[in-house]
C-alpha cells in the first residue's frame, strides 16, 4: 500500500498545510458549504423508479368504501325490475374503476393477458348475468388484495431506497484556493478530498491526513467502527464518525464501493429466477387453456345448446380461477423481499438465481483462510539457521514487502520497521499457493512453504510444533523457518452446524495450507472432506471435480475470501465472498457478497434462500391446486360464482401471508 503513496505523501501534506493553514476555520467553511449543497443536490438526484398509481392516485379507497356502502344500502331497498341493475351500476362502476384503469395501463404496456382485464371481464359477465353483488364483490376483494400486496411491496422498496442512501451526494474537493463542493461523479483519482466528521466517504481512497473512526454499518449491515490513520484505505458509503480527514481519491465514483453495491442491489431483481421462469411458462400454457375453456363453455356451448346465463356464470368462475396464476404466484414479491432482507444484513446477492442455487445447495466448499479462520496470521515462533531471529525476520519481511497474502502481513508486522537503506528489493514474484521469490540486493531470496522448497530442491527443516511453516532461503542456502498461525473464527462451529441442520449434507474444506495445520481444524469442525496443500489451480480443479459429481438437482456453493479466491468461486454454482468490502475481485467475481467477516451470515443467507425457495414452491402448489379445484367444479357448475370470488380472495391472502412470513 505504501509503495506509490509514500513519496507523494509528504508533498501532499505540505500542500495541504500551506493551503489550509487555519484548518478549523476552513473546516467550518466546508461544513457550511456542505449543508447548503446537500439540499440542492438532493433535488437533482433522479427520483426512484417507484411506479405511480394510475389515475386515481391515493384515494382509491374512497371509491371502494362508497361502493361497499352502496352495495349494503341497495340490498335493503325495495327495488324490482329494471331498477335493480340500474341501482347496482353505480357501485359496480365505482368498484371496477381501479381495475379498468389498471387494465388500460397494462394493455398500453403491451400486456394483453393481464389479471386486471380478466377481473373486469369476469365482473362484467357476472353483472350481465344478474349476479350484481358478486360482480361488485369481485372488484372489491381484488382491490383489497392489491392493497395488501402494495403494502408489502412498499416495505421492500423502502429497504431498497435505504440502500441507495449510501450513495454520496457531494464531495468536498481541496483545491489551490480552499475547498470546493463538487459532484462526487466529477472527482478523479489523485484528487484530494475533505471529509468532515459525520459525513459519508464519497469515493474510495486513501487517508492522507487525520485520524478518525469509520463506520461501515450502512454497507456491512452491522455497526463496526474501524480506526483509520494516514495511509489506510477508506471506502465510499462508510461514514466518517469522529474527526475530519483528508483523503486521496483512488477510484472514480462509478467504480467506488458504494456505487457498485447499489448497482448490484438495484439490479438483483431484474432477471427472473429459474423457478419464476417456469412459473411464467406454466402461466403461458395454463391461462390460454382456461380462457379457451371459458369461451367454449360460455359462448360455444350456449350457442349450441342454450342456457346462456348459466354457462356465462360458469365461464366467469373460470376467469376468476385463472387470475391468480397470472400474477405468477406472488413470486417476484417473494424474491424481492428476500433480497432486501439480505441487503439489510449486509449481504448482497447479484440475482435471484443465486438465492435459488443456495436453496438447492447440498454441498458447501470453504476456502479455509479468511472464512473459517480469521485470515489474520500472527508469527508465533522463529527458527533461524546460522543467523539471528531478527536477521531471519528481516530477510523474510523484505522479500514479502509487497505481498498481499495475510502471511506476508504477519511477517512484516513481526519484523517491525525495516531499514530500507540496507535492503533494496529489486524483483519480486508472488507465487500463489507457494510464496514469494525476490531479489534483495543481488541475492535471491525464497520465502514460502515446503512444496515451494521441494520445487527448488532446497532442504528444509520440519517443524515439530503446530503452525504454518514459512521457510526462508538466501541464494539457495536454507536460513530457517518462521511459524505463523491463524485463529479459527469464534462462531465457526455454530455456523457450520446451523448449515447442517438446514440441509447442507457435505462440508468441504480446501486450503493451500499444510495438512498438519488443516487437519485439526477440519476434524474439530466436522468437515466431511478436506483437501490441503492445494495451489489455486488445484483448488479450481477440486471444485470442478465436485461439480461434475454432484446430483442433478443439487447445487454447490463456494465460500471464500474475495481477494484470495475470487476466480476459483466462479467454478461453483454460487460463489459467496466474505469480507467483500474493499475487495475488487469479490465485487467482480462473487455471486453473493457478504460485506463484513461475520461467519454467521453464511447460514443466515442459506436459511433465507431455502425459506424463500420453499415458500415459492408452496405458493405454486397452493395456487395450482386451488385453481384446479375451481376450474373443475366451476365447469360443472358445482362452484357458485360467490364461492369462487371468496375462494380466490382467501387464496391470494394466503399467498401474501406466506410471503410476509419470511424473516
Ligand atoms: P489458503 O488461502 O488456502 O490458506 P493460499 O493459496 O493463500 O492458501 O496459500 C497457501 C500456502 O502458500 C500458504 O499456507 C503459505 O504456506 C504459502 N504462501 C502463499 N503465499 C505466501 C506468501 N506471500 N508468503 C509466504 N507463504 C505463502
Ligand atoms: Mg487463500
Amino acid at each position: 500500500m505504501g509503495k506509490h503513496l509514500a513519496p507523494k505523501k509528504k508533498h501532499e501534506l505540505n500542500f495541504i498545510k500551506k493551503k489550509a493553514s487555519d484548518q478549523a476555520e476552513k473546516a467550518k467553511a466546508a461544513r457550511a458549504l456542505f449543508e447548503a449543497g446537500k439540499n440542492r443536490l438532493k433535488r437533482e438526484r433522479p427520483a426512484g423508479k417507484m411506479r405511480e398509481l394510475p389515475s386515481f392516485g391515493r384515494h382509491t379507497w374512497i371509491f371502494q368504501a362508497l361502493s361497499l356502502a352502496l352495495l349494503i344500502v341497495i340490498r335493503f331497498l325495495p327495488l324490482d325490475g329494471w331498477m335493480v341493475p340500474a341501482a347496482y351500476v353505480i357501485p359496480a362502476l365505482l368498484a371496477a374503476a381501479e381495475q379498468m384503469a389498471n387494465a388500460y395501463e397494462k394493455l398500453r404496456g403491451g400486456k394483453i393477458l393481464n389479471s386486471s382485464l380478466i377481473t373486469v371481464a369476469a365482473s362484467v359477465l357476472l353483472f350481465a348475468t344478474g349476479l350484481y353483488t358478486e360482480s361488485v364483490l369481485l372488484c372489491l376483494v381484488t382491490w383489497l388484495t392489491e392493497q395488501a400486496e402494495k403494502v408489502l411491496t412498499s416495505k421492500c422498496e423502502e429497504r431498497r431506497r435505504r440502500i441507495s442512501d449510501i450513495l454520496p451526494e457531494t464531495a468536498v474537493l481541496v483545491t489551490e484556493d480552499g475547498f470546493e463542493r463538487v459532484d462526487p461523479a466529477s472527482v478523479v483519482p489523485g484528487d484530494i478530498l475533505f471529509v468532515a466528521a459525520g459525513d459519508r466517504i464519497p469515493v474510495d481512497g486513501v487517508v492522507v491526513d487525520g485520524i478518525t473512526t469509520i463506520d461501515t454499518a450502512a454497507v456491512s449491515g452491522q455497526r463496526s467502527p474501524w480506526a483509520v490513520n494516514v495511509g489506510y484505505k477508506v471506502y465510499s458509503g462508510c461514514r466518517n464518525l469522529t474527526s475530519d480527514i483528508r483523503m486521496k481519491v483512488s477510484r472514480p465514483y462509478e467504480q467506488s464501493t458504494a456505487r457498485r453495491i447499489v448497482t448490484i442491489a438495484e439490479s438483483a431483481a431484474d432477471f427472473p429466477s429459474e423457478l419464476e421462469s417456469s412459473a411464467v411458462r406454466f402461466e403461458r400454457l395454463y391461462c390460454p387453456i382456461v380462457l379457451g375453456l371459458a369461451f367454449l363453455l360460455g359462448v360455444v356451448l350456449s350457442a349450441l345448446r342454450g342456457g346462456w346465463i348459466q354457462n356465462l356464470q360458469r365461464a366467469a368462475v373460470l376467469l376468476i380461477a385463472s387470475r391468480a396464476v397470472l400474477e405468477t404466484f406472488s413470486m417476484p414479491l417473494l424474491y424481492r423481499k428476500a433480497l432486501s432482507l439480505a441487503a439489510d444484513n449486509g449481504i448482497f446477492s447479484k440475482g435471484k438465481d443465486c438465492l435459488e442455487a443456495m436453496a438447492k445447495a447440498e454441498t458447501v466448499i470453504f476456502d479455509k483462510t479468511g472464512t473459517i479462520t480469521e485470515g489474520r496470521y500472527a508469527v508465533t515462533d522463529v527458527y533461524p539457521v546460522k543467523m539471528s531471529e531478527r536477521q531471519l525476520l528481516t530477510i523474510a519481511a523484505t522479500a514479502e514487502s509487497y505481498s498481499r497474502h495475510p502471511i506476508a502481513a504477519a511477517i512484516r508486522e513481526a519484523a517491525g520497521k525495516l531499514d530500507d537503506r540496507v535492503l533494496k528489493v529489486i524483483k519480486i514474484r508472488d507465487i500463489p499457493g507457494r510464496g514469494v521469490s525476490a531479489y534483495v540486493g543481488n541475492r535471491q531470496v525464497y520465502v514460502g512453504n515446503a512444496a515451494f522448497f521441494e520445487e527448488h530442491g532446497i532442504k528444509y527443516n520440519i517443524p515439530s510444533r503446530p503452525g504454518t511453516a514459512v521457510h526462508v532461503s538466501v541464494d539457495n542456502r536454507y536460513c530457517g523457518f518462521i511459524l505463523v498461525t491463524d485463529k479459527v473464527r469464534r462462531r465457526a462451529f455454530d455456523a457450520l452446524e446451523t448449515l447442517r441442520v438446514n440441509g447442507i449434507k457435505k462440508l468441504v474444506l480446501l486450503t493451500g495450507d499444510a495438512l498438519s495445520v488443516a487437519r485439526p481444524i477440519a476434524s474439530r469442525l466436522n468437515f466431511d472432506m478436506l483437501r490441503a496443500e492445494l495451489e489455486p489451480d488445484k483448488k479450481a480443479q477440486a471444485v470442478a471435480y465436485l461439480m461434475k459429481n454432484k446430483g442433478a438437482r443439487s447445487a454447490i456453493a463456494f465460500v471464500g475470501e474475495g481477494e484470495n479466491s475470487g476466480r476459483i468461486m466462479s467454478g461453483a454454482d454460487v460463489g459467496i465472498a466474505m469480507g467483500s468490502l474493499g475487495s475488487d475481485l469479490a465485487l467482480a467475481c462473487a455471486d453473493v457478497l457478504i460485506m463484513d467477516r461475520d461467519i454467521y451470515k453464511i447460514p443466515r443467507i442459506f436459511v433465507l434462500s431455502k425459506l424463500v425457495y420453499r415458500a415459492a414452491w408452496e405458493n405454486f402448489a397452493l395456487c395450482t391446486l386451488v385453481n384446479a379445484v375451481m376450474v373443475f367444479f366451476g365447469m360443472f357448475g358445482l362452484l357458485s360464482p360467490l364461492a369462487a370470488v371468496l375462494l380466490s380472495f382467501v387464496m391470494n391472502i394466503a399467498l401474501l401471508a406466506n410471503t410476509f412470513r419470511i424473516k
Side-chain angles (χ1 to χ4, degrees):
M1 134 175 53
K3 194 173 112 193
H4 67 284
L5 194 88
K8 279 190 193 157
K9 204 168 62 196
K10 214 170 229 166
H11 152 76
E12 275 156 9
L13 287 178
N14 282 341
F15 164 73
I16 288 161
K17 270 191 199 122
K18 194 171 75 211
K19 290 298 164 197
S21 48
D22 192 353
Q23 279 207 10
E25 197 176 293
K26 293 250 169 159
K28 230 160 94 190
R31 205 156 240 301
L33 208 65
F34 219 60
E35 297 302 332
K38 255 182 189 163
N39 296 329
R40 192 176 64 80
L41 276 170
K42 220 172 222 158
R43 240 178 294 126
E44 284 171 8
R45 267 171 66 180
K49 277 186 236 147
M50 261 286 266
R51 192 179 67 93
E52 286 300 317
L53 288 175
S55 49
F56 302 102
R58 327 170 87 219
H59 303 295
T60 51
W61 68 270
I62 299 178
F63 283 62
Q64 312 295 327
L66 256 175
S67 165
L68 184 65
L70 281 174
L71 193 65
I72 295 167
V73 170
I74 292 169
R75 288 215 77 119
F76 294 104
L77 292 181
L79 302 169
D80 52 23
W82 62 269
M83 301 230 311
V84 182
Y88 276 107
V89 156
I90 301 161
L93 282 178
L94 280 175
E98 162 108 350
Q99 294 304 318
M100 291 196 275
N102 284 347
Y104 175 68
E105 201 69 18
K106 287 180 193 164
L107 276 177
R108 269 204 345 187
K111 204 163 179 332
I112 295 165
L113 219 67
N114 68 67
S115 60
S116 307
L117 188 65
I118 292 184
T119 308
V120 173
S123 187
V124 168
L125 274 185
L126 291 174
F127 198 94
T129 54
L131 295 177
Y132 311 118
T133 316
E134 282 85 343
S135 162
V136 179
L137 265 183
L138 174 62
C139 291
L140 282 181
V141 298
T142 307
W143 176 82
L144 211 61
T145 353
E146 280 172 1
Q147 292 312 301
E149 198 175 326
K150 235 168 243 167
V151 171
L152 264 179
T153 315
S154 72
K155 275 206 174 133
C156 297
E157 278 292 323
E158 200 183 291
R159 281 216 180 84
R160 214 193 60 175
R161 265 200 300 268
R162 221 161 47 216
I163 295 163
S164 43
D165 274 352
I166 67 173
L167 289 181
E169 287 161 358
T170 57
V172 177
L173 189 66
V174 180
T175 62
E176 295 276 330
D177 24 60
F179 294 99
E180 191 187 336
R181 191 184 41 69
V182 295
D183 186 346
S186 71
V187 303
V188 291
D191 280 350
I192 304 290
L193 300 181
F194 169 88
V195 186
D199 285 323
R200 276 193 198 291
I201 311 284
V203 291
D204 295 359
V206 180
V207 178
V208 291
D209 186 21
I211 298 176
T212 187
T213 318
I214 301 283
D215 187 9
T216 58
V219 198
S220 67
Q222 222 163 44
R223 270 195 87 77
S224 45
W226 195 14
V228 298
N229 198 339
V230 172
Y232 279 59
K233 288 183 186 164
V234 285
Y235 303 106
S236 61
C238 299
R239 197 174 278 289
N240 176 11
L241 288 182
T242 42
S243 57
D244 302 348
I245 53 163
R246 272 145 222 268
M247 56 176 277
K248 187 164 112 167
V249 178
S250 59
R251 265 186 233 146
Y253 175 73
E254 284 301 325
Q255 286 161 31
S256 281
T257 309
R259 182 63 252 178
R260 289 172 71 174
I261 290 174
V262 171
T263 309
I264 288 171
E266 279 179 348
S267 54
D270 284 356
F271 294 98
S273 74
E274 214 174 290
L275 191 57
E276 251 180 293
S277 315
S278 2
V280 170
R281 269 194 307 259
F282 180 80
E283 168 199 303
R284 286 219 190 102
L285 191 76
Y286 175 90
C287 284
I289 291 179
V290 175
L291 293 182
L293 258 179
F295 181 76
L296 279 179
L297 201 66
V299 181
V300 179
L301 195 68
S302 310
L304 293 176
R305 293 235 187 122
W308 279 92
I309 292 195
Q310 186 203 3
N311 286 336
L312 282 178
Q313 283 177 355
R314 290 182 189 177
V317 170
L318 295 197
L319 291 187
I320 294 169
S322 72
R323 274 180 336 151
V325 178
L326 268 176
E327 292 298 340
T328 35
F329 321 98
S330 318
M331 265 186 218
L333 187 58
L334 201 54
Y335 282 103
R336 192 178 283 243
K337 170 136 192 217
L339 289 171
S340 66
L341 271 176
D344 261 3
N345 282 289
I347 308 170
F348 296 91
S349 167
K350 285 191 181 162
K352 301 174 182 175
D353 265 342
C354 311
L355 293 181
E356 244 173 62
M358 281 187 288
K360 288 189 206 158
E362 288 181 348
T363 302
V364 182
I365 307 171
F366 283 87
D367 189 14
K368 179 186 71 91
T369 307
T371 60
I372 292 298
T373 63
E374 287 178 354
R376 272 195 303 252
Y377 281 90
V379 171
T380 50
D381 259 314
V382 184
Y383 294 89
V385 173
K386 290 187 198 142
M387 58 169 66
S388 74
E389 289 190 4
R390 170 100 208 127
Q391 272 173 315
L392 180 63
L393 273 174
T394 310
I395 293 169
T398 312
E400 296 271 25
S401 290
Y402 303 115
S403 170
R404 300 184 67 172
H405 201 278
I407 290 180
I411 292 176
R412 284 199 299 262
E413 195 184 301
K417 207 169 152 39
L418 297 174
D419 190 345
D420 41 6
R421 206 160 25 95
V422 195
L423 301 157
K424 257 239 155 57
V425 190
I426 299 174
K427 216 165 85 190
I428 294 187
R429 213 151 60 87
D430 242 310
I431 300 138
R434 291 276 188 265
V436 294
S437 131
Y439 279 97
V440 178
N442 52 1
R443 305 187 142 204
Q444 166 104 68
V445 177
Y446 292 136
V447 182
N449 55 16
F452 190 44
F453 275 61
E454 298 271 353
E455 265 172 20
H456 288 98
I458 303 170
K459 287 222 162 58
Y460 56 91
N461 295 344
I462 292 167
S464 54
R465 302 186 57 185
T468 303
V470 181
H471 302 281
V472 182
S473 74
V474 174
D475 287 339
N476 290 341
R477 193 174 57 80
Y478 188 61
C479 302
F481 62 87
I482 300 166
L483 266 189
V484 293
T485 53
D486 188 7
K487 274 202 296 254
V488 170
R489 284 188 193 280
R490 208 164 42 83
R491 298 213 288 171
F493 184 81
D494 292 349
L496 294 180
E497 283 307 299
T498 314
L499 279 179
R500 269 184 206 288
V501 171
N502 287 287
I504 302 298
K505 300 209 175 88
K506 191 169 178 183
L507 292 170
V508 180
L509 186 63
L510 298 187
T511 181
D513 215 338
L515 186 63
S516 61
V517 175
R519 191 149 48 197
I521 297 176
S523 67
R524 202 163 46 156
L525 298 178
N526 284 332
F527 271 95
D528 301 289
M529 185 177 156
L530 163 70
R531 299 282 311 272
E533 293 170 23
L534 298 176
E535 51 221 273
D537 281 350
K538 293 263 173 61
K539 283 186 192 171
Q541 275 169 23
V543 173
Y545 173 81
L546 287 165
M547 284 289 285
K548 216 168 69 193
N549 294 299
K550 68 171 184 177
R553 292 192 168 277
S554 76
I556 292 184
F558 184 96
V559 183
E561 188 231 13
E563 207 52 50
N564 225 322
S565 38
R567 295 192 203 292
I568 304 165
M569 61 177 65
S570 51
D573 288 309
V574 55
I576 305 168
M578 273 177 75
S580 310
L581 186 60
S583 163
D584 264 341
L585 258 165
L587 286 179
C589 302
D591 304 306
V592 178
L593 305 158
I594 297 177
M595 299 319 282
D596 60 9
R597 294 171 178 278
D598 179 359
I599 191 170
Y600 222 78
K601 285 190 178 162
I602 291 172
R604 170 92 181 103
I605 186 68
F606 273 94
V607 171
L608 184 65
S609 307
K610 284 178 194 284
L611 275 178
V612 167
Y613 193 60
R614 203 174 63 200
W617 267 109
E618 279 165 3
N619 282 6
F620 186 83
L622 177 73
C623 203
T624 318
L625 188 76
V626 172
N627 270 290
V629 168
M630 277 166 80
V631 169
F632 183 78
F633 287 99
M635 235 166 26
F636 299 108
L638 297 171
L639 188 74
S640 75
L642 182 65
V645 169
L646 294 180
L647 193 60
S648 95
F649 175 61
V650 170
M651 185 193 69
N652 275 318
I653 294 297
L655 294 186
L656 287 177
N658 205 20
T659 307
F660 203 76
R661 218 169 43 114
I662 308 279
K663 289 245 163 53

